[in-house]
Amino acid sequence: MAGTWVFVEQRDGNIRKVTYEMLSKAKSFGDEVSAVVIGNNVEGLAPEFAKYGADKVYVVEGDVFANYNTGAYVAQLAAMINEFSPNAVLFAHTFNGRDLASRLAQKLEAGLATDAINAEISAGKGVFTRAIYAGKALSKVEVTTSPVLATIRAGVFELAEAAGAGAVVKPAIAATDADVYQTVKDFVVTVSSRPELNEAEVVVSGGRGCKGPEGIKVVEQLADLLGAALGGSRASIDSGWLGHELQVGQTGKVVNPNLYVACGISGAIQHLAGMSSSKFIAAINTDTEAPIFNVADFGVVGDLFKVVPLLCDELKK
Amino acid sequence: MKVLVCVKQTFDTEAKIELKDGKISDAGINLIINPYDEVAVEGAIQLKEKNIATEVVVVSAGSDKAMDTIRTALAMGADRGILVKQDSAADEYQRAVALAEAIKAENPDLILAGHVAADDGSSQVPTRVAEILGLPNVNVITNIEIAGGKATCTSEADGGTQVTEVSIPAVISSQVSWNEPRYPSMKGIMQAKKKPVATVDAAAADAKVKIIELALPAAKTAGIKIEEDPDVAAVKLGDWMKNTVKVEVK
């Protein structure tokens, strides 16, 4: 059996950090680690994976793979799995990763653990911890089929550089244009100077206490000072102050940054579910009874319109 | 055009989770239609209102309790329902097999579902159903247009927004920001009681994933809480960010 495979999440050659996090974790299983990169003009990326311990890099290139599309990627991976028989294949829990892994799992009639926050793989056995109910409970599951398939949440595994041979392997191309059933008509890249919510080191969020777009502006200043991602509670999304893609909580995104700053957020259980695994939590709220203070490492009872600008001044010193 | 919507019954997102005998307790929990599926139901009803869809069928795999969720969708405006009786402990594979079997018998032109369930958060089942049925799939959509045997979907993508075209029938999963689901009217609730709901048994399938243990995360404890003048509070909070969290200031 051919160890653990990590499917590389990349777009136009930009590799997502979670790829390296998965390689680092896979290395700890003590078995052979391979990166699998599919796209167009991606061979040049191979040395990057060797830095995080990849013994092999499977490089698959072709026009049919230029844009991510479920059909061609599933056909290619299924053929490669049949040929090389990896013990386990790890994917990032991104939109593409979960789409690809789900469809592949069904094609292989295999089990799949999605959004795993821990992974133990040994002797072909895969056990994963999943946060269910958006983190209100933890479920430890075993995938009982082979290969073991999982999608991994960004930011849960430490990066660990390790020299790997990074030997490039070029498997046979198994997908054709006939496998493509989605036509991508347009892709609009979200232009933002801020990092993405689920990969950010720091997240600054605004809630009902922002009272409107002006309050969000105040929160944004703090976010930019900290190089943080901007988020919001359901109140600020439902009010139209922020787009849904920025919602943190059970019906939005689950984040686990080093620091989460909740501004004017009371801390409804559905919001807490999305952020309470953050390493440090700071909260600013006028209501001393707000539930957010029950999870905050540092709480300030006060008006965000006054405290946040002063905090920005203090941080600039 | 017949539209079929998969709906799952889940816990209210405001519910506090507790364990009893190693299992998640549903005592006193308000059960709701999965919010992502609710959006799919609304999307289907809007297609009917635009005279694109002629019939909206809802399918739910679950226990007898899931009948309430089907009735909710019927009260919103769906035409009829199918309850696929299945143990609530079924894994994603078993659930997908059961739903696909029921869908096959209906032969719909479009299959909608939420892209993820608010309980197990797996986001696998719609895509698995598409694979079983051999149909195209598009996930996490925020808009759909149907014309000329094609569905053009706008969806949330990694790092952007994508527009994807697929031929129908297809399995399309919704993001919550697609629309604002309506509340069932009193008339709708009354009518829902008379709408037909068929009950079928789930197709047999072996589980592919085994739950070893359920646990609650370590409770986060409250730390420092200060109530001081804003300038004093800001200095203390800034000091904590710099020295304890060790933030980098840009």
Side-chain angles (χ1 to χ4, degrees), chain A residues 9 16 70 93-96 98-99 102-103 105-107 109-114 127 130 132-133 135-145 181-190 196 224-227 234 244-245 250-253 258-259 261 268-270 276 278-282 284 288 293-301 306-307 310-311 314-315 317, chain B residues 11-17 24 35-36 92-93 96-97 115 118-124 127-128 130-132 134-140 156-167 175-177 207-217 220-228 230-231 233-242 244-245 247-250:
Chain A
E9 272 282 333
R16 277 182 185 268
T70 320
H93 191 68
T94 52
F95 288 127
N96 286 351
R98 64 183 92 166
D99 174 71
S102 298
R103 188 115 192 183
Q106 190 58 43
K107 189 176 176 74
E109 303 231 327
L112 165 66
T114 39
V127 175
R130 304 187 55 241
I132 57 172
Y133 297 92
K136 291 183 212 167
L138 301 171
S139 174
K140 202 173 194 185
V141 299
E142 183 186 342
V143 176
T144 57
T145 47
Y181 46 74
Q182 298 148 331
T183 311
V184 177
K185 302 295 248 187
D186 197 13
F187 190 96
V188 181
V189 176
T190 305
E196 282 185 57
D224 291 340
L225 198 56
L226 295 172
R234 196 153 80 183
H244 171 263
E245 70 283 0
Q250 195 163 355
T251 48
K253 293 204 165 66
N258 186 44
L259 172 65
V261 187
I269 192 160
Q270 99 79 50
S276 42
S278 307
K279 191 169 175 208
F280 292 105
I281 298 171
I284 301 158
T288 184
F293 289 125
N294 297 333
V295 301
D297 298 289
F298 200 108
V300 173
V301 181
K306 290 178 183 151
V307 177
L310 289 164
L311 172 64
E314 177 62 25
L315 288 170
K317 278 182 195 168
Chain B
F11 285 17
D12 191 326
T13 54
E14 292 295 331
K16 187 169 189 286
I17 303 296
I24 305 247
Y36 299 85
E92 296 85 357
Y93 175 80
V97 168
H115 84 90
D119 50 8
D120 59 37
S122 287
S123 56
Q124 295 183 30
T127 311
R128 281 180 178 269
E131 175 64 22
I132 298 170
L135 296 177
N137 71 291
V138 182
N139 287 322
V140 212
E156 219 176 280
D158 301 310
T161 308
Q162 185 166 310
V163 179
T164 311
E165 188 181 273
V166 291
S167 61
Q175 177 59 298
V176 279
S177 49
K208 309 291 184 189
V209 172
K210 185 169 76 185
I211 294 175
I212 299 170
E213 188 185 26
L214 292 169
L216 297 183
K220 190 100 182 155
T221 49
I224 307 157
K225 184 165 84 172
I226 59 168
E227 197 162 358
E228 299 190 53
D231 49 346
V235 169
K236 288 186 177 172
L237 177 55
D239 187 59
W240 176 79
M241 283 186 180
K242 282 180 184 167
T244 304
V245 183
V247 292
E248 277 178 52
V249 179
K250 308 274 163 181

Side-chain angles (χ1 to χ4, degrees), chain B residues 37-74:
Chain B
D37 298 341
E38 190 180 14
V39 165
V41 172
E42 175 64 34
I45 294 167
Q46 288 184 12
L47 287 175
K48 196 179 168 191
E49 287 169 346
K50 288 179 197 157
N51 295 317
I52 295 166
T54 49
E55 188 184 24
V56 176
V57 184
V58 289
V59 180
S60 187
S63 69
D64 288 331
K65 282 185 189 170
M67 189 62 93
D68 291 343
T69 296
I70 293 175
R71 294 281 175 209
T72 302
L74 296 178

Side-chain angles (χ1 to χ4, degrees), chain A:
Chain A
M1 298 288 265
T4 305
W5 285 8
V6 171
F7 177 79
V8 173
E9 272 282 333
Q10 59 92 24
R11 178 168 196 93
D12 300 331
N14 297 311
I15 303 160
R16 277 182 185 268
K17 191 173 151 211
V18 59
T19 302
Y20 303 128
E21 293 166 358
M22 291 191 288
L23 287 169
S24 302
K25 183 66 182 181
K27 199 72 188 166
S28 74
F29 302 143
D31 210 347
E32 186 181 84
V33 177
S34 305
V36 178
V37 58
I38 302 180
N40 216 354
N41 299 321
V42 287
E43 188 175 351
L45 303 174
E48 299 300 315
F49 313 122
K51 284 184 205 159
Y52 290 89
D55 300 299
K56 281 183 189 156
V57 181
Y58 290 91
V59 176
V60 179
E61 295 180 308
D63 290 342
V64 71
F65 306 116
N67 286 318
Y68 170 76
N69 72 90
T70 320
Y73 277 56
V74 167
Q76 180 63 32
L77 275 176
M80 286 168 62
I81 287 167
N82 283 334
E83 185 180 350
F84 299 102
S85 305
N87 280 328
V89 187
L90 305 180
F91 299 84
H93 191 68
T94 52
F95 288 127
N96 286 351
R98 64 183 92 166
D99 174 71
L100 176 57
S102 298
R103 188 115 192 183
L104 178 69
Q106 190 58 43
K107 189 176 176 74
L108 301 173
E109 303 231 327
L112 165 66
T114 39
D115 200 15
I117 57 170
N118 202 2
E120 302 157 40
I121 298 171
S122 65
K125 193 173 150 175
V127 175
F128 301 89
T129 305
R130 304 187 55 241
I132 57 172
Y133 297 92
K136 291 183 212 167
L138 301 171
S139 174
K140 202 173 194 185
V141 299
E142 183 186 342
V143 176
T144 57
T145 47
S146 178
V148 167
L149 303 175
T151 67
I152 306 292
R153 184 181 294 184
V156 296
F157 297 137
E158 297 278 330
L159 286 178
E161 290 197 20
V168 170
V169 181
K170 291 196 169 180
I173 302 299
T176 68
D177 288 342
D179 293 304
V180 180
Y181 46 74
Q182 298 148 331
T183 311
V184 177
K185 302 295 248 187
D186 197 13
F187 190 96
V188 181
V189 176
T190 305
V191 180
S192 174
S193 52
R194 303 188 183 104
E196 282 185 57
L197 266 178
N198 45 11
E199 289 198 337
E201 281 285 300
V202 181
V203 174
V204 178
S205 285
R208 195 183 302 279
C210 289
K211 295 177 183 164
E214 299 73 33
I216 297 292
K217 282 211 181 78
V218 173
V219 172
E220 278 180 325
Q221 281 167 7
L222 177 61
D224 291 340
L225 198 56
L226 295 172
L230 181 70
S233 67
R234 196 153 80 183
S236 50
I237 276 75
D238 287 352
S239 304
W241 308 334
L242 291 170
H244 171 263
E245 70 283 0
L246 299 183
Q247 184 178 331
V248 173
Q250 195 163 355
T251 48
K253 293 204 165 66
V254 175
V255 298
N256 55 343
N258 186 44
L259 172 65
Y260 188 87
V261 187
C263 305
I265 292 175
S266 63
I269 192 160
Q270 99 79 50
H271 184 76
L272 297 183
M275 46 62 77
S276 42
S277 65
S278 307
K279 191 169 175 208
F280 292 105
I281 298 171
I284 301 158
N285 202 296
T286 49
D287 177 11
T288 184
E289 301 293 328
I292 193 77
F293 289 125
N294 297 333
V295 301
D297 298 289
F298 200 108
V300 173
V301 181
D303 183 355
L304 74 93
F305 285 89
K306 290 178 183 151
V307 177
V308 172
L310 289 164
L311 172 64
C312 290
D313 293 343
E314 177 62 25
L315 288 170
K316 281 181 205 157
K317 278 182 195 168

Side-chain angles (χ1 to χ4, degrees), chain B residues 110-113 126-127 129-131 133 135-139 169-173:
Chain B
L110 182 68
I111 298 125
L112 298 176
T127 311
V129 166
E131 175 64 22
L133 298 174
L135 296 177
N137 71 291
V138 182
N139 287 322
V171 180
I172 312 273
S173 76

